[in-house]
Amino acid sequence: MLGQTVGVAYEQLVRLAPGTPLRARGTDPVVRACRYFRPGPGVVEAAASIAAGDQVRAMAFRLEQGADLRWRCAAVEIGGDRAGAAGGAEGAVDADPAAES
């Protein structure tokens, strides 16, 4: 994951992982809705509603495109527990952000 993150995002994911916040016992998480916002070139901020059993949680993350044109996670938040920062055009996610470049 280290090569797929920038800034504090790796540490944020390390803190979140042990609690497996998107899993309910015996149930796989399912993305119910996903939205995105492009605050500027090379930046995508996205939010998803994720269901696992009777539990529904929110997940937000920020992707930044590097000079090498690869997209990397820069911040993550899950279920209101702040694990990073979130911050264009808004719309439903229809395509890979990399395909728009």
Side-chain angles (χ1 to χ4, degrees), residues 4-10 12-13 16 44-46 59-64 72-78 82-87:
Q4 305 302 316
T5 59
V6 293
V8 297
Y10 181 79
Q12 294 166 338
L13 290 170
L16 289 169
V44 174
E45 295 177 348
M59 177 178 182
F61 55 95
R62 178 183 174 102
L63 301 175
E64 296 178 356
R72 292 179 180 86
C73 181
V76 179
E77 289 186 39
I78 295 181
R82 184 155 180 88

Side-chain angles (χ1 to χ4, degrees), residues 1-98:
M1 290 294 297
L2 190 55
Q4 305 302 316
T5 59
V6 293
V8 297
Y10 181 79
E11 288 84 16
Q12 294 166 338
L13 290 170
V14 166
R15 281 195 309 271
L16 289 169
T20 59
L22 299 176
R23 283 218 179 262
R25 278 179 258 148
T27 306
D28 289 331
V30 176
V31 176
R32 296 178 70 183
C34 192
R35 305 285 297 166
Y36 73 92
F37 176 72
R38 296 184 71 102
V43 178
V44 174
E45 295 177 348
S49 170
I50 302 169
D54 293 336
Q55 182 181 45
V56 178
R57 306 229 29 206
M59 177 178 182
F61 55 95
R62 178 183 174 102
L63 301 175
E64 296 178 356
Q65 190 175 35
D68 61 0
L69 302 181
R70 292 179 55 197
W71 291 89
R72 292 179 180 86
C73 181
V76 179
E77 289 186 39
I78 295 181
D81 296 330
R82 184 155 180 88
E90 183 180 337
V93 173
D94 305 294
D96 181 350

